[in-house]
Amino acid sequence: LRKSKMQLPRLLGNERFKKALAPFFRENFPQAAIIEGAAGLGKKTAAFDIAQALMCGGEAPPCGRCGPCVRMQAGSHPDYRLFNPEGGPVKVDDIRQARRLSFIRPSEAAQKVFVVNDAGRMNVQAQNALLKVLEEPQQPIFLLLCQQAEQLLETVRSRCVRFRLEPLSEQEIRRQLEERAPQATAEDREAALARCGGSLGQALRRIQEGPGKTEALAARFVRALEQSELAVLEACLEAGALPREEFGQFCDESCLGLWELAKKSPEKGWTLPVYDYLRGLSARVEVNASASAMSGALAAYCGGLIFAQN
């Protein structure tokens, strides 16, 4: 088989990722790879383009014109499979099905390509089932998509090559929003830019759907800090009822609101300490099981710092 550099034409930015991936082609692509990065950075897009390049029979893969590329784009290539496309917890039955399918010879490609979306949300049982597949001598190529590789067992990570997607620059996201969402106001685009964390997908979603519930709750929490201890407690109680991942988003959104408040009202000396406290909570979300306990601690901290002084 000839060698060629793999192209990822639809993936914006991420030059380091593309450079790391470029030398790989059909005969030397790793049997299993992790693609990690925050939500909305393009992991599914990258995985699809990689799979299409591996199937491609043309020049500068994926060429987009050959039979395999056309079938990939039509969603009818028999040797490609995306598991858990909508995200969320990965079912062990999906992994068991992947193992059953792995014993069937490819129809036209040299190897099958299986993509597991949100692979970091596999439980231990599912990961152990996947490990059995990765140990098979004639396994398909597996692309595991997750926000952090550390969500996977070390035994799984050790059998994979790791690639990481990086956030886009503000300049690139602003340019893309102007092109893709010309109907949005400049104010809406800037608000989406400030809250997307370098993710074009999240920025577009924010423009299309408006502020999410965590953003609205965070705005209410920041307003409560200037109102009363009871208002802060009520906002924190509501935040404590959020799922852990959404509580982390609430912390991040609150940090953005506090940063904007600190710039407008530098005389409010409590804004930056609360900002730092929220940053610490956000960093602990992955290892702390109780959003309720963290929100209670947040209410107590704000009460002691701000309202006890009045």
Side-chain angles (χ1 to χ4, degrees):
L1 291 173
R2 64 175 164 75
K3 290 190 176 183
S4 177
K5 288 188 176 180
M6 184 178 293
Q7 311 294 316
L8 297 176
R10 298 186 302 155
L11 185 66
L12 299 172
N14 282 283
E15 296 308 317
R16 280 198 292 184
F17 174 80
K18 293 175 182 177
K19 185 177 180 180
L21 196 65
F24 292 111
F25 196 53
R26 295 183 182 119
E27 70 273 25
N28 64 346
F29 195 86
Q31 288 297 122
I34 295 168
I35 302 176
E36 59 182 323
L41 290 186
K43 295 187 292 295
K44 282 197 290 185
T45 296
F48 182 88
D49 283 355
I50 289 170
Q52 185 173 326
L54 291 169
M55 306 294 185
C56 177
E59 298 295 328
C63 72
R65 297 181 300 275
C66 66
C69 280
V70 171
R71 284 187 284 281
M72 283 290 295
Q73 291 162 359
S76 60
H77 199 295
D79 297 324
Y80 170 77
R81 188 68 178 264
L82 171 62
F83 295 91
N84 194 32
E86 300 303 320
V90 181
K91 299 177 182 177
V92 68
D93 288 345
D94 281 342
I95 305 304
R96 288 170 177 161
Q97 183 186 19
R99 190 181 187 201
R100 288 193 296 270
L101 292 173
S102 71
F103 291 115
I104 302 173
R105 294 177 62 84
S107 297
E108 59 180 76
Q111 283 181 288
K112 293 175 179 286
V113 179
F114 291 168
V115 177
V116 182
N117 186 38
D118 230 351
R121 300 191 66 180
M122 287 187 287
N123 59 26
V124 173
Q125 184 183 15
Q127 292 197 51
N128 283 330
L130 175 64
L131 194 58
K132 293 179 181 178
V133 188
L134 298 182
E135 291 171 344
E136 297 288 345
Q138 298 299 322
Q139 69 185 62
I141 290 174
F142 271 89
L143 302 178
L144 309 180
L145 314 184
C146 60
Q147 294 197 28
Q148 296 180 0
E150 284 68 25
Q151 294 172 303
L152 298 167
L153 296 173
E154 193 280 330
T155 48
V156 173
R157 298 198 307 270
S158 67
R159 287 165 171 79
C160 301
V161 176
R162 288 172 64 169
F163 299 103
R164 184 169 188 83
L165 294 184
E166 298 173 347
L168 296 177
S169 67
E170 287 190 3
Q171 181 181 6
E172 179 65 25
I173 292 179
R174 185 177 286 111
R175 185 176 70 82
Q176 291 293 326
L177 291 180
E178 289 172 355
E179 291 181 4
R180 301 188 189 200
Q183 78 287 353
T185 65
E187 182 179 1
D188 285 344
R189 288 198 294 265
E190 288 301 312
L193 173 62
R195 287 168 169 80
C196 71
S199 164
L200 177 60
Q202 291 202 31
L204 289 169
R205 191 176 304 113
R206 204 270 186 188
I207 286 176
Q208 293 163 359
E209 301 175 3
K213 67 176 181 179
T214 55
E215 184 179 339
L217 179 56
R220 184 148 60 84
F221 167 74
V222 173
R223 289 196 300 271
L225 292 171
E226 300 186 274
Q227 295 170 353
S228 68
E229 191 170 1
L230 177 60
V232 170
L233 179 60
E234 289 174 344
C236 287
L237 285 173
E238 191 170 340
L242 294 171
R244 190 168 60 177
E245 183 177 339
E246 291 184 11
F247 181 79
Q249 294 170 3
F250 161 79
C251 292
D252 295 338
E253 292 287 353
S254 297
C255 284
L256 283 170
L258 282 164
W259 186 255
E260 293 169 359
L261 180 60
K263 289 190 292 184
K264 292 177 183 177
S265 306
E267 73 279 2
K268 300 182 188 298
W270 47 264
T271 53
L272 293 182
V274 176
Y275 173 93
D276 289 337
Y277 190 86
L278 280 160
R279 291 272 295 193
L281 287 182
S282 179
R284 295 199 298 273
V285 164
E286 287 295 327
V287 296
N288 194 319
S290 176
S292 176
M294 288 188 285
S295 68
L298 174 62
Y301 178 80
C302 293
L305 180 68
I306 303 169
F307 301 106
Q309 300 174 8
N310 299 330

